[in-house]
Amino acid sequence: MNYQAPLSDMKFILENVVDYNNLSSTNHFEDTSLEMTSAILNEAAKLAEEILSPLQRVGDLNPAILENGVVRTSPGFSDGYKAVADGGWIGVAANPRYGGMGLPLTIQTCVNEMMNGACLSLSLNPLMSQGQIDALEHHANDHIKSLYLPKLISGEWSGTMNLTEPQAGSDVGALTSKANNNNDGSYSISGQKIYISWGDSDFTNNVCHLVLARLPDSAPGTKGISLFIVPKFIPNHDGTLGQKNNLRVVSLEHKVGLHGSPTAVMEYDKAQGWLIGEESQGMKAMFTMMNNARLGVGGEGLGVAEAALQKAVKFASQRTQGKSPTNQTGSIIDFADVRRMLLTMKSKTYAARAICLATAVAIDMSKAEHEKSWVSRAALLTPIAKAFGTETGIEVSNLGIQVHGGMGFIEETGAAQFWRDVRVTSIYEGTNGIQAIDLVSRKLMDGGQAAFELINEINHLCENAPNELIKLSSELKTASDTLSEATSWMVMQKNLNERLAGATPYLESFALVLGAFFHLKGAIADNKAQSRVKLASFYINHILPSVFSLCKSATAGSTDIYKLSAEELNIM
């Protein structure tokens, strides 16, 4: 079964749940109507379903390879990428001055989800370029912008992000790659980078690497890091390609999944690069790219969750095995435990989609109105969207294997590929543990103001819900109050490590409450078939109760975590 874009759910959430219409009331996005957005998403759905989806298994069974120094991509990937580029889908949210559409990031988020669900391995390529485009728009000088952005937006060139080194993973400040000023406007970059997604391909004319490196005598740690753009081929001033730069792909990683996406070890040997932003301000520029990518990665998890859900529902609807007490259709979808798994998959996918789109709307509103409240809302939601989106992708794809039973463990069904492909998303662009640390530290530095404002919105909805939904709204209000208490506890802690010990359960509890909030909004808006009321009822009654135990763990402090020594962990 090929992937089917969840257009009805996207459009419902945009119209009824995340207040997308607010964008069209701003001068910045005044031409962004739901009608126009719907037409764009319909075209993106055709791309995902007809062109990208057939490449999903092809990439898994025919991985990218490194042959005589050249990366050979999976069969059909070149044509798939060309369709993405020719359709303008890389630059949906990019600046029109350089060839982008200038549309809201919210639309880009929907488009990306569809591409991710259809073929995650290939869709990673344009996602990396989108992050680079965002970083260059914000931090590059006018010459770099005019030279690189039109090529990246058109898809003629692609972009990557080079942070990690063998000794410097999450601790980026430990990197040792060097940069020396050539005194001609360029720099010489030397060092090795690992885990570089789409470090090379055979279907773009140039690959442009954003590389973190350290100048001589720079400050230690992250304060001394600068950012450079280092192209595979050095462009001439008119954008034509000149000589090949002194960089190469050393090897491609052998991975659990994402086989169609080449993950490279890159070596730079006095390669020519150009500074992005100011010297020793590289992390500021890189975080622009990473924050863009964090929402994008949350959308990767979401896209895979939707694809795994579709496959599991179809299998459960057709598979006959035994006879359930209800005996409605004769298929395993009638068994209570199978139905529980499918409803968990569907309700969490809906919650993740709503959280990702709410994050995108907040980012768009912050750009359109520059109000502090929107900036704070976008910052608060970003780590939640990344972590919950990817954890949902992992959980849903894992349940999808379980729904398939023994056939889920057999590769020919394709159910296991979803889990193998999505598993890394909770690790890269900042592990989900780092997202949780960001949430309880930086994002609560305002005394919890942004968090409490969102909690107050949730409570307001609960207090004004229609009578027929009073039971669901009451359950959500109780969970929201518990989250509020946990947030107050976090803010009160003077010892940061007390917060960090409960960071992950706190983030999860926040995400689950948000999911219930968006389910309730959907239930209120669903005045026809009532299917969303039924889905909200399952989520609030079966998923939301986890909030109470999660908040207890979040506020337990660090004592129990350190009672057992490292030595005892090793010998027990």
Side-chain angles (χ1 to χ4, degrees):
M1 175 188 125
N2 284 342
Y3 167 85
Q4 294 181 312
L7 288 173
S8 62
D9 208 44
M10 287 180 177
K11 294 173 184 178
F12 178 86
I13 291 173
L14 290 175
E15 183 173 4
N16 301 289
V17 178
V18 299
D19 303 320
Y20 178 75
N21 276 322
N22 285 341
L23 293 177
S24 58
S25 66
T26 67
N27 292 331
H28 195 77
F29 295 118
E30 59 184 352
D31 296 327
T32 305
S33 66
L34 280 167
E35 291 75 18
M36 182 201 72
T37 299
S38 177
I40 292 171
L41 297 185
N42 288 343
E43 291 304 309
K46 294 177 184 177
L47 169 78
E49 294 171 352
E50 298 172 9
I51 297 176
L52 301 185
S53 181
L55 301 175
Q56 165 80 349
R57 291 296 286 158
V58 173
D60 192 54
L61 299 174
N62 302 274
I65 60 172
L66 182 63
E67 185 178 77
N68 298 323
V70 177
V71 171
R72 307 293 185 191
T73 56
S74 304
F77 270 40
S78 178
D79 291 338
Y81 178 83
K82 186 176 187 301
V84 173
D86 289 351
W89 300 112
I90 298 172
V92 169
N95 193 329
R97 179 179 178 183
Y98 303 104
M101 296 185 189
L103 295 172
L105 178 64
T106 306
I107 296 180
Q108 184 80 78
T109 300
C110 290
V111 172
N112 286 352
E113 185 207 321
M114 289 186 271
M115 294 198 298
N116 294 333
C119 182
L120 181 58
S121 286
L122 180 55
S123 67
L124 273 173
N125 186 297
L127 180 69
M128 299 306 300
S129 293
Q130 288 165 9
Q132 186 170 120
I133 289 165
D134 199 30
L136 294 182
E137 283 187 2
H138 282 86
H139 300 285
N141 60 41
D142 288 341
H143 172 67
I144 292 292
K145 288 179 182 179
S146 62
L147 187 59
Y148 284 85
L149 286 176
K151 301 290 188 180
L152 290 166
I153 290 170
S154 70
E156 187 177 342
W157 298 353
S158 61
T160 75
M161 177 166 54
N162 286 231
L163 289 80
T164 307
E165 298 178 7
Q167 80 293 339
S170 298
D171 182 13
V172 179
L175 66 81
T176 59
S177 291
K178 298 177 181 179
N180 288 287
N181 196 328
N182 293 329
N183 297 316
D184 61 358
S186 71
Y187 294 75
S188 290
I189 313 298
S190 297
Q192 188 178 91
K193 298 289 183 176
I194 62 173
Y195 305 152
I196 309 306
S197 297
W198 283 98
D200 199 10
S201 77
D202 54 3
F203 51 65
T204 58
N205 294 337
N206 204 4
V207 183
C208 309
H209 304 281
L210 279 182
V211 183
L212 288 177
R214 194 180 300 281
L215 289 161
D217 303 320
S218 62
T222 56
K223 292 181 180 179
I225 295 174
S226 300
L227 181 65
F228 305 88
I229 190 160
V230 188
K232 178 181 177 181
F233 291 97
I234 298 172
N236 300 312
H237 286 284
D238 61 358
T240 59
L241 296 181
Q243 66 183 25
K244 187 179 185 305
N245 213 342
N246 202 17
L247 58 87
R248 69 187 183 99
V249 177
V250 176
S251 62
L252 299 182
E253 303 289 0
H254 182 67
K255 301 172 296 184
V256 171
L258 291 177
H259 295 154
S261 171
T263 300
V265 175
M266 299 295 303
E267 183 175 77
Y268 300 88
D269 184 11
K270 297 181 180 178
Q272 194 171 12
W274 287 263
L275 184 69
I276 303 300
E278 300 178 8
E279 290 186 354
S280 298
Q281 296 294 314
M283 289 306 296
K284 180 180 179 181
M286 184 58 79
F287 268 117
T288 298
M289 184 174 185
M290 289 188 69
N291 280 330
N292 178 297
R294 282 173 176 171
L295 175 57
V297 173
E300 290 175 15
L302 168 60
V304 174
E306 175 64 38
L309 167 64
Q310 291 181 15
K311 193 171 191 67
V313 169
K314 181 173 183 180
F315 180 86
S317 299
Q318 297 176 343
R319 172 68 165 165
T320 57
Q321 189 73 23
K323 183 180 290 186
S324 76
T326 59
N327 196 30
Q328 294 174 354
T329 67
S331 62
I332 64 171
I333 202 169
D334 296 331
F335 285 99
D337 193 56
V338 173
R339 190 70 65 91
R340 175 194 61 81
M341 289 189 285
L342 293 174
L343 281 167
T344 298
M345 296 165 74
K346 189 171 185 66
S347 65
K348 282 200 164 184
T349 300
Y350 171 96
R353 179 173 293 119
I355 289 172
C356 286
L357 290 178
T359 305
V361 167
I363 294 171
D364 285 328
M365 289 299 293
S366 70
K367 292 178 179 177
E369 297 192 341
H370 306 289
E371 290 184 3
K372 182 180 178 182
S373 60
W374 281 117
V375 174
S376 299
R377 175 67 58 87
L380 177 75
L381 289 177
T382 294
I384 298 174
K386 191 275 178 180
F388 188 70
T390 56
E391 294 293 351
T392 297
I394 293 168
E395 180 183 1
V396 169
S397 60
N398 184 51
L399 284 172
I401 295 172
Q402 192 70 17
V403 169
H404 279 76
M407 290 303 296
F409 203 63
I410 304 301
E411 283 290 352
E412 68 185 69
T413 65
Q417 183 188 343
F418 294 122
W419 183 89
R420 290 189 289 100
D421 285 351
V422 80
R423 183 60 186 85
V424 72
T425 60
S426 67
I427 298 171
Y428 61 34
E429 307 310 334
T431 66
N432 286 356
I434 289 175
Q435 305 305 313
I437 290 170
D438 178 43
L439 179 63
V440 303
S441 55
R442 291 187 183 91
K443 303 309 163 56
L444 294 184
M445 286 177 64
D446 61 355
Q449 181 180 343
F452 287 124
E453 286 179 358
L454 186 49
I455 291 170
N456 288 339
E457 284 185 27
I458 296 170
N459 292 338
H460 179 75
L461 181 73
C462 293
E463 292 161 1
N464 292 277
N467 289 334
E468 59 268 25
L469 296 175
I470 193 69
K471 185 178 183 300
L472 296 182
S473 62
S474 177
E475 294 290 343
L476 174 54
K477 178 63 166 59
T478 303
S480 177
D481 289 342
T482 302
L483 175 64
S484 181
E485 293 170 4
T487 303
S488 296
W489 183 92
M490 287 285 177
V491 171
M492 290 171 58
Q493 301 311 302
K494 304 300 182 185
N495 183 345
L496 180 59
N497 207 43
E498 297 301 294
R499 294 192 198 184
L500 302 186
T504 291
Y506 176 75
L507 185 150
E508 186 177 351
S509 64
F510 212 134
L512 292 179
V513 170
L514 280 174
F517 172 53
F518 293 131
H519 268 291
L520 184 59
K521 290 186 77 172
I524 292 171
D526 182 14
N527 55 11
K528 294 181 180 179
Q530 296 287 298
S531 59
R532 296 184 188 277
V533 176
K534 298 169 187 175
L535 189 64
S537 181
F538 174 85
Y539 183 95
I540 290 173
N541 289 322
H542 293 265
I543 306 298
L544 187 62
S546 299
V547 167
F548 305 108
S549 60
L550 286 167
C551 284
K552 183 176 181 179
S553 174
T555 58
S558 63
T559 301
D560 288 332
I561 290 177
Y562 290 96
K563 278 182 178 178
L564 203 64
S565 69
E567 291 77 13
E568 289 172 314
L569 281 169
N570 188 48
I571 64 174
M572 286 181 68

